[in-house]
Amino acid sequence: MNYAETDEQQMIRELVRDFAETVLAPSAEHRDANQIPPIEEWQQFLEYGLQGVTIPEQYGGSPVDDISESIIVEELSRVDPSFGVMFCVHVGLCAKTIALHGNEEQKAKYLPRLAAGEVGAYSLSEAGAGTDAAAMICKAKLSEDGKHFLLNGEKMWVTNGVQAEIIVLFAKDVDHPDYGVKKHGGTTAFIVESSFEGFSVGKKEDKLGIRSSDTCTLILNNCKVPVENVIKGVGNGFPIAMNALDNSRIGIAAQALGIAQGAYESALNYSHEREAFGKPIAHHQMIMAYLADMATRIQAARQLVYRASWAKQEHYENDGPRHTQEASMAKLYAGDTAMWVSERAIQVLGGYGYTKEFPVERFFRDAKITQIYEGTQEVQRIVISRSLK
């Protein structure tokens, strides 16, 4: 694998960095403090044409390689991790899932809308079915006329749930022969539109971090979903969900990498400006050690993220092996790195690091979720250990 950035990847990095620093940075602190979703910023982002990077050209997309996709998430999250995860869910969990598993009619109907900027979301978790996704109890039952599925239940922790117009959502078909018998029995993937009858948005979570990213409960009360919106057939949803997690864990790893990079740069810049005992603190041995360790861990995390991105592309384009291990390793290490680096960044800034005058306290709060969602760090270790030979 060649680790040197291509000209196209470098151009994408510069383009996204320009957007992040000119559009996201001025409003990031205000949106975080007031839990305001980046609606206006998303509209400006559409002008860059990157919302369709996982969508084939024939459906209006502008596809890029998988390392470039991670670079986009990294650069967005370097300034605003909330926007980074919004993008990640839209292009990865929603658009890519439909592009990979949807039939021709589904792709023709929904991918152009996602490529045009309608926000996408993904809904797997429930109150008692987060890490244990197979324990979901949200039910789907075929209507009497056979034209719709009626979905009932509540889905939780839905990123983009308030804004999303198109949601890939999982429920269990109670008429499936394996429902209630097999662990994954009847698990089915649906494409749900927020305009469907019986669909509503419930509680919006008040979170520690990524507060500008909306996370909410979705309420399904006899939600009418056309039978043609079932992805890959009734009862075939669980492998789709697990495949999506393989992909999205790389996105979260890239988000964590961006958080670590942003926190490190804040600490590095501050250390050259702040003087103590007659010289910049960057020249004091302990601070030098902190910065060296931060830079080294970030570089190690970056290699794991890009390696996983490359493995994902090899899997889909060249029928390579599944990238489950690489994705979990990247997510595990990058998530821990984001938490470690942002904590050290606060220490470098001292008292200022504990205030909202500098962004490191926000990076610290944002970093924690990268150790939790898309499978906790404990789950990643289980996944990795099972893949060892």
Side-chain angles (χ1 to χ4, degrees):
M1 172 182 178
N2 185 357
Y3 287 95
E5 281 188 13
T6 65
D7 290 342
E8 181 180 5
Q9 289 167 349
Q10 190 171 24
M11 180 192 71
I12 289 172
R13 185 183 294 279
E14 292 171 357
L15 180 70
V16 180
R17 181 167 293 197
D18 175 72
F19 167 78
E21 293 182 348
T22 59
V23 177
L24 295 181
S27 62
E29 295 294 338
H30 175 72
R31 285 186 286 105
D32 172 79
N34 296 281
Q35 301 188 75
I36 300 173
I39 298 173
E40 294 181 8
E41 290 77 7
W42 178 255
Q43 292 304 314
Q44 294 181 67
F45 182 69
L46 300 183
E47 298 174 9
Y48 288 71
L50 297 172
Q51 70 279 1
V53 295
T54 59
I55 298 173
E57 289 182 3
Q58 63 263 40
Y59 304 109
S62 50
V64 299
D65 65 274
D66 288 86
I67 292 179
S68 292
E69 182 185 340
S70 290
I71 287 173
I72 295 170
V73 178
E74 175 190 349
E75 286 296 327
L76 292 172
S77 303
R78 171 182 161 269
V79 172
D80 184 2
S82 291
F83 196 95
V85 75
M86 177 184 180
F87 169 83
C88 189
V89 169
H90 171 82
V91 303
L93 284 170
C94 185
K96 194 175 186 72
T97 298
I98 296 173
L100 287 173
H101 304 290
N103 58 36
E104 182 55 38
E105 291 75 16
Q106 291 166 347
K107 289 189 281 190
K109 181 176 182 179
Y110 288 108
L111 291 182
R113 291 170 57 180
L114 291 164
E118 289 189 42
V119 177
Y122 177 93
S123 181
L124 177 65
S125 296
E126 298 177 11
T131 298
D132 183 9
M136 73 174 70
I137 59 173
C138 182
K139 296 178 175 62
K141 185 175 178 63
L142 194 63
S143 62
E144 291 184 2
D145 62 10
K147 295 181 179 180
H148 295 85
F149 277 93
L150 302 178
L151 274 57
N152 284 281
E154 292 188 3
K155 308 296 288 188
M156 291 189 68
W157 316 115
V158 185
T159 300
N160 298 348
V162 176
Q163 303 176 69
E165 295 159 281
I166 301 167
I167 305 104
V168 174
L169 185 146
F170 296 81
K172 284 190 173 179
D173 174 24
V174 296
D175 295 325
H176 192 276
D178 290 332
Y179 177 77
V181 178
K182 295 183 179 179
K183 185 176 182 181
H184 307 148
T187 301
T188 303
F190 299 88
I191 301 174
V192 178
E193 297 186 41
S194 59
S195 61
F196 284 172
E197 180 183 337
F199 176 95
S200 62
V201 174
K203 174 187 174 185
K204 182 177 177 180
E205 301 296 338
D206 186 4
K207 308 188 301 290
L208 169 72
I210 57 167
R211 290 167 58 82
S212 181
S213 164
D214 67 68
T215 305
C216 69
T217 298
L218 299 181
I219 300 172
L220 307 167
N221 184 13
N222 281 331
C223 179
K224 294 179 67 174
V225 181
V227 293
E228 55 266 29
N229 280 31
V230 172
I231 302 176
K232 226 170 186 178
V234 173
N236 296 319
F238 198 77
I240 295 173
M242 294 303 99
N243 179 258
L245 287 175
D246 280 350
N247 297 334
S248 64
R249 282 168 181 163
I250 300 172
I252 298 308
Q255 180 197 23
L257 175 61
I259 292 171
Q261 184 69 36
Y264 162 73
E265 290 178 6
S266 294
L268 180 65
N269 293 336
Y270 179 85
S271 71
H272 285 287
E273 296 169 358
R274 171 78 162 90
E275 291 193 2
F277 305 104
K279 59 183 178 181
I281 63 172
H283 297 164
H284 289 281
Q285 192 172 38
M286 186 60 72
I287 302 299
M288 292 168 66
Y290 278 169
L291 294 171
D293 286 346
M294 292 158 76
T296 301
R297 292 197 185 197
I298 290 170
Q299 194 57 253
R302 182 170 286 114
Q303 301 311 309
L304 282 171
V305 173
Y306 291 2
R307 165 74 185 182
S309 303
W310 172 84
K312 178 174 68 167
Q313 186 156 318
E314 284 293 298
H315 172 64
Y316 290 119
E317 291 189 356
N318 300 313
D319 198 26
R322 279 188 63 182
H323 49 287
T324 303
Q325 183 192 81
E326 290 88 348
S328 287
M329 285 182 172
K331 197 268 186 188
L332 173 66
Y333 190 81
D336 287 351
T337 296
M339 198 66 197
W340 189 90
V341 169
S342 58
E343 191 274 336
R344 288 297 185 279
I346 290 176
Q347 201 68 20
V348 170
L349 271 69
Y352 284 115
Y354 202 67
T355 71
K356 295 185 181 296
E357 187 173 342
F358 290 85
V360 291
E361 66 85 27
R362 174 166 57 87
F363 286 127
F364 180 68
R365 289 186 287 106
D366 289 348
K368 185 59 191 174
I369 193 60
T370 67
Q371 295 180 311
I372 298 172
Y373 58 9
E374 307 311 298
T376 64
Q377 303 301 71
E378 292 77 14
V379 166
Q380 303 315 313
R381 288 180 169 91
I382 292 171
V383 172
I384 293 166
S385 67
R386 287 175 176 172
S387 71
L388 302 178
K389 297 179 181 179

